[in-house]
Amino acid sequence: MSTDFLTDLDDLFVLAQLVANNRSEAMELVDRAVQARKNGSTLDAGEIILAVSALSDSPVPGDLLSKKSVQSSLNALVPRLLASTPIERRIAVFHAFTGTKTNALEVSSFMHRVRRSLDLSGHFRIQPDITEAEVAEAVKTYVASVTETLPPSFRGNLETRYATPTAEPLSQGRSSVKDDSLNSRFKPKLAVRIASAVLLILIASAIGTWIAKPSPPPMQEEGRQDILSLMDGATMDGATMDADLAFRGSDAAQVESSIKDRTGISVRIPAVAGGSLMGVSFQELAPSLVLPILHYKLESNDIAVFVLDYSIIQLAETQYSFDRQVLNEIAQPRGLAIGDVGELSRLTFRNRDDVFVTYSDGNPQSMRNLFSFDS
C-alpha cells in the first residue's frame, strides 16, 4: 500500500497550528487529515486541514495563533516596562512574578501597566485576558536573556576569600555542565557553607552601627495606616461633605488642572449620569497624605469621590498601606471592589492609572454605572 499521504506530515502540523485552539487539537487535526488521505482524499495540505477543522467541535475558546501572539506581545512589552520600573522596585517585581516573595501590590500594579500598554497599542481588536502566569513567563524569559551567570573565576575568588578555613572547597565536585535555567541561575549557591562567615560579618557591622548612633524606632508594616480606612473615617465624620471647595465649577479640564497643580497627578475626571460636577476640595487624611475629593450633585444628593493613582499608592507605601485585595479586584477590566462601612457601601474602581473611591447607601453596582470616562 502506498504511503504517499505521509510525506507532508510536517507541513500538515504547521498548517494545523494556524487554525487549532491548542497543540493537542493541532495533532488531532493532522490525524484526521491523514485518515482522510488514507480513505482517498486528494486535497492538498491546506485544503484538507480546513476541511477536517470545519468538523471539529472543540469547546476551547480562542485559537493557538492568537495565544502565541499574546505571549509574543508580552515578550516584547515586558522588557520596556521592566526597564522603566524604578530601580528600587525592579527586584520586588522580579520576586513577585517568580514566586520568590509574595507581593500582591507589585503584581497588581505591574499587571495594570501591562493591560494598559496592550490596550493603548491597538494590536488586539478584543483585549485579551492576560494572566499573571503569562506575564511571569515573559519576565523570566527577559531576565534570563539579559543577565549573566557568575563568572567561574570570580566565584573562585569569593570562595577563597570568604570560605571558612575548615570548609570543604566549594568548587570541588561541582558539575562542569552549565545550567542556564532561570531557577538555577538565581538559586543561592553558597548559603549553607559560608553562612557562619557572613553571619559574623553582619553581626559585627550591626553592633558597630548600634554603638555609633542610636537606632531610630522601627517602622512595622502592620503598624501602617490603611488609606481606605482613613477615607472611611473622613466620610463617616462628615469631613468630605463639609470641606471647602478649592475650585468651584463644572469645567472638568479646570478641575483636572487644579488637581495637577496641587498634587502633581494627572487625572481624568469622570462624568456622572444625571449629575453635575461642583468642584474639588483637598483633604489631609494624615500627615503627608493629601487627596483630592471630587464633588458632584446628583438630584438632591451630594456625592464625594476620593481620587488617587498608583503612583501615590507606591510613594505612600512606607507610611501607609492600601488593601491588596481591593487592588486585585480593580485590576480587572471594569473591576469594582465593594466594602461595608457602617450602613454605607464603599466603592473602589479605576480608569487607567486613576483610582476612585466613593460611598453609597444604595445599590453599589448601580452607583458605579453612573460614572463614565471619555475615551
Side-chain angles (χ1 to χ4, degrees), residues 55 95 101 104 110 129 140 146-147 159 209 224 236 240 271 291 296-297 299 306 308 318 320-321 337 339 358 361:
L55 302 175
H95 281 166
K101 293 182 180 179
F110 198 78
D129 185 16
K140 294 176 184 178
V146 298
T147 58
E159 293 174 352
T209 302
R224 293 182 300 171
M236 298 300 288
T240 56
L291 295 182
Y296 296 87
K297 177 70 74 173
E299 298 177 349
F306 289 93
L308 67 164
T318 57
Y320 307 99
S321 63
T358 190
D361 58 1

Side-chain angles (χ1 to χ4, degrees), residues 143-216:
V143 172
S145 70
V146 298
T147 58
E148 302 176 9
T149 55
L150 190 68
S153 59
F154 184 49
R155 179 191 301 278
N157 181 285
L158 292 174
E159 293 174 352
T160 300
R161 291 166 57 198
Y162 295 109
T164 57
T166 58
E168 178 186 351
L170 296 176
S171 299
Q172 183 176 349
R174 179 179 284 116
S175 171
S176 60
V177 179
K178 181 179 179 181
D179 185 352
D180 283 331
S181 70
L182 189 65
N183 287 336
S184 65
R185 174 173 290 180
F186 291 97
K187 182 183 289 183
K189 304 287 188 181
L190 311 176
V192 175
R193 300 179 182 176
I194 66 172
S196 298
V198 173
L199 184 59
L200 288 173
I201 294 172
L202 292 177
I203 291 174
S205 176
I207 292 175
T209 302
W210 177 72
I211 293 174
K213 61 179 181 179
S215 299

Side-chain angles (χ1 to χ4, degrees), residues 9 12-34 48-65 67-68:
L9 291 178
L12 288 172
F13 190 48
V14 169
L15 297 176
Q17 291 174 76
L18 297 182
V19 297
N21 290 299
N22 50 57
R23 185 172 182 271
S24 296
E25 185 177 317
M27 296 172 69
E28 176 65 23
L29 292 179
V30 172
D31 186 278
R32 293 185 183 184
V34 171
I48 198 166
I49 287 296
L50 286 176
V52 296
S53 67
L55 302 175
S56 176
D57 56 356
S58 171
V60 182
D63 62 77
L64 181 60
L65 197 63
K67 293 172 184 174
K68 295 282 188 180

Side-chain angles (χ1 to χ4, degrees), residues 171-321:
S171 299
Q172 183 176 349
R174 179 179 284 116
S175 171
S176 60
V177 179
K178 181 179 179 181
D179 185 352
D180 283 331
S181 70
L182 189 65
N183 287 336
S184 65
R185 174 173 290 180
F186 291 97
K187 182 183 289 183
K189 304 287 188 181
L190 311 176
V192 175
R193 300 179 182 176
I194 66 172
S196 298
V198 173
L199 184 59
L200 288 173
I201 294 172
L202 292 177
I203 291 174
S205 176
I207 292 175
T209 302
W210 177 72
I211 293 174
K213 61 179 181 179
S215 299
M219 174 67 74
Q220 297 183 358
E221 181 174 346
E222 61 271 19
R224 293 182 300 171
Q225 291 180 286
D226 178 62
I227 295 177
L228 288 174
S229 296
L230 293 172
M231 294 180 187
D232 295 345
T235 299
M236 298 300 288
D237 292 343
T240 56
M241 295 304 178
D242 296 336
D244 294 329
L245 297 184
F247 175 85
R248 186 181 299 274
S250 60
D251 190 317
Q254 290 184 306
V255 172
E256 291 169 2
S257 178
S258 178
I259 294 175
K260 176 73 172 179
D261 293 341
R262 179 70 179 269
T263 66
I265 67 173
S266 299
V267 60
R268 181 69 60 84
I269 300 298
V272 174
S276 58
L277 178 64
M278 305 300 293
V280 62
S281 64
F282 295 90
Q283 179 78 40
E284 184 177 14
L285 296 178
S288 75
L289 184 63
V290 177
L291 295 182
I293 302 177
L294 303 175
H295 295 265
Y296 296 87
K297 177 70 74 173
L298 179 63
E299 298 177 349
S300 59
N301 298 320
D302 292 325
I303 301 175
V305 183
F306 289 93
V307 182
L308 67 164
D309 67 1
Y310 282 90
S311 68
I312 288 181
I313 295 174
Q314 293 289 351
L315 290 174
E317 191 176 21
T318 57
Q319 295 176 272
Y320 307 99
S321 63

Side-chain angles (χ1 to χ4, degrees), residues 23 25 34 48 62-63 70 80 99 101-102 117 123 132 141 181 187 217-218 234 243 247 256 340 343 346 364 372-373:
R23 185 172 182 271
E25 185 177 317
V34 171
I48 198 166
D63 62 77
V70 170
R80 176 170 60 83
K101 293 182 180 179
T102 301
S117 296
H123 292 166
E132 292 179 9
T141 299
S181 70
K187 182 183 289 183
F247 175 85
E256 291 169 2
D340 294 326
E343 297 180 354
R346 184 208 313 122
S372 62
F373 301 86

